[in-house]
Every structure is written in structure tokens, then in C-alpha cells.
Amino acid sequence: MARCSCFRWFKGSVFTVLRSVGIVLFTLLSPADAQPTDAEREVWDQVDVVLKDAKGILDELQAYKGAGQEIREAIQNPSDEALQEQAWAAVVPLVGKLKKFYEFSQRLESALHSLLGALTSVTYDPTQHLEREQALAKQFAEILHFTLRFDELKMTNPAIQNDFSYYRRTLSRMRINNVPAEGENEVNNELANRISLFYADATPMLKTLSDGTTKFVSENKNLPIENTTDCLSTMATVCKVMLETPEYRSRFSSEETVSFCLRVMVGVIILYDYVHPVGAFAKSSKIDMKGCIKVLKDQPPNSVDGLLNALRYTTKHLNDESTNKTIKTMLQKD
């Protein structure tokens, strides 16, 4: 009986949230439908400044071609000064872009902290927060969408790490030989180390947000951790039910909205897995992981490989002994 009672509560709470929060995701492409209230305005304005730059960052990353040819020619002809100069001239502006992306990750983390502070405060419970602060919930979803998309693009572009590695090697050699290096002032050694660590991660933006969420929880010890984990699990559940229920899915205006919802679902699962003491895959998790994985696997072939890989390789607790074997099997590569 207790189990049935719990299920009725769970089902009821999900559809209560869907009714009031669903508009946040349904109206992704209609900004007028999620305008901030006076109470949300201050945080919304701060985050909006960051989100306005997000599309430009994605466009620049998508167009990033790298300096592979110039680098290869310089390496193959080490005594040809002209080729060395050409490679350096090609790499320096690209490193400027990589620095810009890294600095944006710091701004994104700051925006995330502001949103978490608003959406997890003790003023309301998680459902009430999402009902009353739909504009902020939408911004949170947009940050997750950006993050997963950025990492998908980064993972398929090996030129990024190759360019930066060449830059650092060449800069080191120039210093040893006391050769003035154009571009050194823009990225000093300390910053270069941080940027290198950032891009060394397979999913750097997701790691930034995961670390940022963990930091938020540790810095706000007076705030019950459930305020954060329940916010994340509620958003995951909303996305899952909207994607698997024909009545809701039929209201999506485009496949891009479907992709948005899928990325948000995966993003909040990963954040939950980092913040919750036992993670998203434990029996006590408030996220239906089997259901979420099934939703991903029901999508067209190859369309969600990046999202499945994110669950396979960037979560914290998937390989714990306590993780259900069925879940591990579902996430094995076919």
C-alpha cells in the first residue's frame, strides 16, 4: 500500500508540475511566453546578458577549422622559418578564440550560481519555484542546452586541443630562445595551464557546470541539499514525461525543441548525479533512469549518441556497485 500511495503522489506531482512548468519548454522559441516577474527580474537580467552571447559562442565553435595544415607543414619542415611563422600566425588568433570560450565558461558558471540561488531558496518548494519562476527555469534549461551542444561540438573537433598544444610547445621554445612571442601577453602561462585543463576534459562545459553545482551546494550548507536535487530531479521528470507522452510531444513545434528537451534532461541528470550523495543511478534516486534512457534510445538512430555518451562517460556514479545492472546494460554501446 505504501508503494501505491507513493506512486500516486509521484504521478500527481509530476503532472502538477507539467501543467504549470511545461510552458517553459513548450515555448522555447517564443520568448514572450516566459517573461520575468518583478521578483525574477534582477537575476534574469544578469543571466540574460550571458545567454545573449551563447549563440555566438556556438556559431564560432561550429565554424572552428583549426590550423592543422599549417602545423603539419611547420613540424615536417622545422628549419623552414617561413613555415614556422605561418603556423604561429595561424594559431595565435585561434588561441584567442579558445581563450574566449574558456572565459565564457566562467561567466556561465556564475550565471548558474545565480539561478540555483533563486530556484532552490527556502522560500518555496521545488515545484512552487518552477511554477512561480518560469522565466528563470527557462534560462536554466537554456544554459543546459548550450552546455550539451557546446560539448557535442568540442568532442568532434580534435583541432582544438591540437592547436592549443602546438601553441604551448611553440611558446615554450620561444621563451627558451628568448624570442619575443606575439600573443603571449594575451594568454600568459598561468592562464594557459587553466585553459589546457579545461580542454583536456572530454566535456569541458559540463564539467564546469557539474563542479559549479557541487561548489554551490558546499558553499550553501544552510540550504538543504534536497532543495537542489529536487529541483534537478523535477526538471528531469518533466522532460522525460513530455518526451514519452504523445499528447505532450505532439505540441513540440520542431525537432529542435525535441533536441532541446533531450539535452536539458541529460544535463540535469548529470548535475543531480554529481550533487546527490548516492547519485542518479541509485534505487533511492528520484529520477527514473530506466525511463530516461529508454526515451533517449527511442530517438532516431545516431541522433543522441553524444547524449548517451555523456551519461556513459561524464556521470559520477554509473559504475558504482549499487547501480542496477539493467541500467548499466541499457547504457552499453550496441
Side-chain angles (χ1 to χ4, degrees), residues 143-172:
I143 283 178
L144 291 168
H145 174 259
F146 164 85
T147 297
L148 271 294
R149 182 61 183 141
F150 181 97
D151 286 346
E152 286 169 7
L153 292 171
K154 184 266 178 185
M155 287 176 76
T156 57
N157 195 339
I160 289 173
Q161 281 181 272
N162 292 340
D163 290 349
F164 200 74
S165 294
Y166 178 80
Y167 170 83
R168 296 196 73 191
R169 290 197 308 271
T170 305
L171 192 59
S172 177

Side-chain angles (χ1 to χ4, degrees), residues 207-272:
K207 185 176 191 312
T208 297
L209 291 200
S210 298
D211 290 347
T213 306
T214 303
K215 183 180 176 184
F216 171 83
V217 170
S218 67
E219 288 178 349
N220 293 273
K221 297 189 186 298
N222 60 324
L223 191 70
I225 192 171
E226 291 78 16
N227 287 33
T228 302
T229 55
D230 286 357
C231 173
L232 297 172
S233 62
T234 300
M235 290 188 73
T237 302
V238 168
C239 292
K240 180 185 79 75
V241 175
M242 288 169 66
L243 287 160
E244 70 185 2
T245 308
E247 177 189 349
Y248 294 119
R249 177 128 181 186
S250 65
R251 294 173 59 187
F252 286 149
S253 58
S254 68
E255 283 305 306
E256 179 55 31
T257 312
V258 174
S259 296
F260 170 85
C261 207
L262 288 165
R263 288 190 183 110
V264 173
M265 181 181 76
V266 170
V268 290
I269 287 171
I270 292 170
L271 295 187
Y272 182 100

Side-chain angles (χ1 to χ4, degrees), residues 97-162:
K97 286 189 177 183
L98 297 180
K99 175 192 174 190
K100 178 181 177 181
F101 299 161
Y102 167 75
E103 289 175 339
F104 186 77
S105 76
Q106 307 306 295
R107 294 174 60 202
L108 202 69
E109 181 181 357
S110 178
L112 177 76
H113 273 231
S114 296
L115 286 173
L116 286 174
L119 292 171
T120 65
S121 69
V122 295
T123 314
Y124 309 114
D125 65 32
T127 302
Q128 290 172 326
H129 270 298
L130 296 177
E131 288 174 351
R132 293 167 179 264
E133 297 163 340
Q134 291 186 5
L136 298 185
K138 181 180 174 184
Q139 285 185 320
F140 186 39
E142 287 174 338
I143 283 178
L144 291 168
H145 174 259
F146 164 85
T147 297
L148 271 294
R149 182 61 183 141
F150 181 97
D151 286 346
E152 286 169 7
L153 292 171
K154 184 266 178 185
M155 287 176 76
T156 57
N157 195 339
I160 289 173
Q161 281 181 272
N162 292 340

Side-chain angles (χ1 to χ4, degrees), residues 12-79:
S13 67
V14 166
F15 283 95
T16 297
V17 175
L18 274 168
R19 185 175 61 252
S20 55
V21 181
I23 190 172
V24 174
L25 299 174
F26 282 135
T27 59
L28 167 64
L29 304 180
S30 305
D33 290 333
Q35 290 301 299
T37 62
D38 290 342
E40 296 173 279
R41 174 64 67 178
E42 183 178 352
V43 171
W44 189 91
D45 283 343
Q46 292 171 12
V47 177
D48 187 55
V49 172
V50 178
L51 285 173
K52 279 180 177 174
D53 291 336
K55 186 181 184 304
I57 294 289
L58 289 179
D59 289 343
E60 285 191 57
L61 179 57
Q62 194 154 15
Y64 190 99
K65 300 301 181 188
Q69 183 176 343
E70 292 89 343
I71 290 172
R72 279 193 301 274
E73 290 179 353
I75 292 173
Q76 290 167 4
N77 301 277
S79 59

